[in-house]
Amino acid sequence: MVLKMSITESLKKLVSCVILDLDGTLLHTDGIVSDVLRVYLGKYGKKWDGREAHKVVGKTPLEAATSVVEDYGLSCTSSELLSEINPIFSDQWCNIKALPGANRLIKHLSAHRVPIALASNSPRENIETKISFHQGWKESFLVIIGGDEVTSAKPSPEMPGVTAGKAAGMEVVAVPSLPKQSHLYTSADEVINSLLDLHPEKWGLPPFKDWIKDTLPIQPWQIGGPVIKGFGRGSKMLGIPTANLSTELYSTLLSEHPSGVYFGWAGLPTQGVFKMVMSIGWNHYFNNTEKTIEPWLLHNFDEDFYGEELHLIIVGYIRPEANFPSLESLIEKIHEDRKIAEEALDLPMYSKFRDDPYLISSS
């Protein structure tokens, strides 16, 4: 999805307004859509595997329903499909989480009195309902426009989208909501991995001032499970032994967090608590086919601990996932990440999580 900024060029960029998209940019709606369609199609012996997600993301409800009916050969009409699943979606709006960086951006722009508008292909009523579950959002937007309030939806300049934003004379920052889709946004002025990677000062906006020693504090989150054998490359190719976790039970949780490099604390109930830096994503250099989590415990262990329960508390963010021209450059960057994480975890704001009981709990 996209984040759009209307800018007038002079000696200095002057921002007249920031227009934000909603689904997939501010809210993790894609997960809810996939869950509902998976259940709905399952009733008819069909399997939703996400490959068609690009056909429904960013579309009006009717357009998305038409794509599903056509792609799966359903006997119902698009309108009938909508009437059946709309109540299901409505019951789920309260469960949609804000994407990382969304609250931070809205609060930052509001604090600096930057005019913010919200535009979405969703009906106005649905937009109002979705944002009502997020404190302070509705009051932050000077204008809210739904797909049912305009004559033409995307890619008309009336609506959000990279093409629409450029047609309206805006500068556009795209935040793809689907993995490995950056190549589809070449007309954008910038493509970023997530809102965590937005640098407002590049667009004439006040800069964030919450980065500390090359790290960004985030709302801590937890993940854990038995250590499994990974791809073998961590120690064999990179000399960096990662303690891999199965993602089978955490696919939903991982989908809520952008790919990138994070850090925090790792606990092994039988051995103690250790500093940790980890990557989440597809590891472009090795071209993973699924999103993985690969934590590196910053300690020299005498032996492997496959099968042991590993608990992680992730407290900060370092950088987005990136591709590298060589194995050497990848290794160099990983060690740079390690140094940043090790130093940051000594700061009180991060070190206090070392004593969290979750790290050494037995369940």
Side-chain angles (χ1 to χ4, degrees), residues 100-101 193-194 196-197 215-219 221 253-254 256-265 275-281 291-296 298 312-321 337-338 340-342 345:
N193 187 57
S194 76
L196 297 177
D197 305 309
T215 68
L216 177 65
I218 61 174
Q219 183 66 34
W221 56 282
L253 178 63
L254 291 182
E256 297 169 1
H257 296 279
S259 59
V261 177
Y262 298 78
F263 65 96
W265 297 97
K275 292 179 177 179
M276 173 275 300
V277 63
M278 73 179 196
S279 68
I280 295 178
K291 197 173 186 179
T292 61
I293 177 170
E294 300 184 50
W296 179 18
L298 305 182
L312 307 176
I313 294 181
I314 296 87
V315 300
Y317 176 77
I318 296 177
R319 62 174 176 85
E321 186 178 33
D337 295 334
R338 171 183 180 154
I340 291 173
E342 281 189 317
L345 285 167

Side-chain angles (χ1 to χ4, degrees), residues 109-317:
L109 296 176
S110 296
H112 289 279
R113 298 184 178 180
V114 177
I116 319 173
L118 181 63
S120 171
N121 261 349
S122 294
R124 174 63 178 266
E125 183 180 359
N126 287 1
I127 297 172
E128 299 268 4
T129 303
K130 292 174 188 176
I131 66 175
S132 69
F133 297 102
H134 299 271
Q135 187 175 6
W137 281 27
K138 186 175 181 179
E139 297 77 16
S140 298
F141 298 110
L142 295 181
V143 178
I144 298 175
I145 299 292
D148 56 342
E149 298 180 298
V150 296
T151 304
S152 302
K154 300 176 186 177
S156 165
E158 288 188 303
M159 287 305 295
V162 174
T163 304
K166 297 304 294 182
M170 301 178 183
E171 294 199 1
V172 179
V173 178
V175 191
S177 58
L178 297 176
K180 300 184 177 182
Q181 297 296 313
S182 296
H183 63 284
L184 300 178
Y185 298 85
T186 54
S187 61
D189 296 283
E190 183 181 25
V191 181
I192 57 177
N193 187 57
S194 76
L195 290 178
L196 297 177
D197 305 309
L198 178 67
H199 293 278
E201 64 274 16
K202 293 178 64 173
W203 309 101
L205 291 163
F208 288 119
K209 295 184 178 181
D210 49 359
W211 283 83
I212 301 171
K213 289 186 176 294
D214 296 320
T215 68
L216 177 65
I218 61 174
Q219 183 66 34
W221 56 282
Q222 303 173 348
I223 190 171
V227 177
I228 62 171
K229 290 192 175 183
F231 299 99
R233 59 176 180 246
S235 56
K236 294 178 181 178
M237 296 182 65
L238 306 178
I240 300 167
T242 55
N244 299 283
L245 294 174
S246 170
T247 58
E248 185 176 352
L249 299 178
Y250 297 102
S251 58
T252 300
L253 178 63
L254 291 182
S255 71
E256 297 169 1
H257 296 279
S259 59
V261 177
Y262 298 78
F263 65 96
W265 297 97
L268 291 166
T270 62
Q271 302 197 49
V273 177
F274 309 93
K275 292 179 177 179
M276 173 275 300
V277 63
M278 73 179 196
S279 68
I280 295 178
W282 289 267
N283 201 319
H284 298 295
Y285 185 84
F286 294 101
N287 198 27
N288 288 0
T289 57
E290 64 180 36
K291 197 173 186 179
T292 61
I293 177 170
E294 300 184 50
W296 179 18
L297 277 59
L298 305 182
H299 178 80
N300 294 322
F301 294 91
D302 294 329
E303 57 185 6
D304 294 330
F305 41 85
Y306 294 125
E308 284 203 42
E309 193 75 12
L310 175 64
H311 291 173
L312 307 176
I313 294 181
I314 296 87
V315 300
Y317 176 77

Side-chain angles (χ1 to χ4, degrees), residues 10-11 16 27 40 91-92 102 109 111 174 254 273 283 295:
S10 58
L11 294 177
S16 59
L27 293 180
Y40 177 83
D91 290 339
Q92 294 297 316
L109 296 176
L254 291 182
V273 177
N283 201 319

Side-chain angles (χ1 to χ4, degrees), residues 60-72 77-79 81-82:
T60 65
L62 185 59
E63 289 172 337
T66 300
S67 293
V68 172
V69 169
E70 292 177 352
D71 289 343
Y72 288 90
T77 66
S78 302
S79 297
L81 171 60
L82 277 181

Side-chain angles (χ1 to χ4, degrees), residues 49-65:
D49 58 11
R51 286 181 298 179
E52 299 86 1
H54 68 283
K55 295 183 180 180
V56 300
V57 169
K59 302 292 180 65
T60 65
L62 185 59
E63 289 172 337

